[in-house]
Amino acid sequence: MDRNQHITKNPNRRWFLLFFLILNQCLLNPVVRDALDLDQEKNRQNFFNSLLLLDGLLDRSIPTATVTPSLGNILLSSSSLKVVFSKTMEPGSLSSTLGTSLSATWTQTFLPNDTATLSGPIPVGYATFVLDAKDSLGQSLTQITGTYLVLNSNTNIYYVSVSGNDSNTGLTSSLPKLTIPATISAATSPAAIFISVGDYNVDSSLSTAISLVEKVSLYGGFSQDFQSRNLVTNISKIQDVATAVVTNTNTINAGASITAVAIMADGASPTVSDNSINGGTSSTDTTFGIFLQNGSSATIKNNTINAGNSPATAAHAIYTGPQGNNPIIIDNLIYGGGGNISYAIYHGTGGGNVGSYQSNTLFTSGGTNRYCLYEAGGGSSPVTFNSNRLFSCPTALYLDQGSVTINSFITINGGTTNGGSYTGNF
């Protein structure tokens, strides 16, 4: 008897085989497997999640969090922040602000509800970030606070690194350019140039000084990979290495011959923030850290600025020429360098009262004549000169209108020719 005859003559066996075939097909169906909870991989994952949840219920430690981009960084107003917590959090407990209230979208990185993406219409400017939250057991996160600089959402970001290459686009942190002048030339405004930690030498004798243009700004203090920003540990140093006499110089209306300029803003109004800027060395001519002319309204903030060394003539940390420049100079360390005449800030004549100088430290250390704030002549004073620290300027802490020596803070605070509202200088 063959096998088919055996099955035909044994109806019970035939029905058993049919049932087995149907059952086998059903068990292969993912819908059925899911309904019967037969997926071993899924069971393992569910078991693992249960263990994580149990661990979270037993963990009474204070939750911690990592915020990306890190505190102190620069954001676009359209950016979002990612927060990864160490524990499962209670979504309803989260509160966060960055100039405005932020909304949270919750996801899982390692644990359920351990990751929040924060977003909202972030206002432009410096803003304080505050984050509070509780975990699923009610344990409070130690409040996280810090600051971010928020730029307009249409700002184009460029990257410069000492390990970069000027043949790169500079549009991503993985393809940075090498030099700041090349990046300025390639930038489409409005633009922000992020500068990683390192020394960036320019040589004004070879016409490689940094000439800033309208709506293209420099921001230093970034780590080598641009993931974090720390103005103390990540120093972006811009230094003019020119030492020779320059024959091809520019002549300014006041007659000064420019031979060593680290950064120049000619009619432009950029932001220069969080850099270390050193003027060059010249045995015969004038040196400058930052040179402003032709109506520049630059914002100069949180920099360390050195005038350079000009033993035969004059060294200027910040020179604002006689063309009605209107800069905002705030929170800088301004060193008048080592000129025969040393200026922390040289405020040119003309253009009426212009400029806002606040919360800076101004000093000198060498030279026959040494000034912290020098008004070149009558007709122009800073509009605002408040809360500045002035020291080691024996010729004059403040030279008023090019002729009156002031070394008294009582006089500087409200007693200069055009400074009736000055206050807080010390």
Side-chain angles (χ1 to χ4, degrees), residues 3 18 43 70 97 126 228 273 303 328 340 392 405:
R3 183 181 178 187
L18 180 60
N43 287 339
S70 59
T97 59
Y126 283 91
S228 63
S273 174
N303 301 281
I328 297 173
N340 181 46
S392 192
T405 297

Side-chain angles (χ1 to χ4, degrees), residues 1-8 13 17:
M1 179 182 300
D2 64 26
R3 183 181 178 187
N4 291 333
Q5 290 176 327
H6 177 76
I7 293 175
T8 302
R13 182 176 178 83
L17 290 174

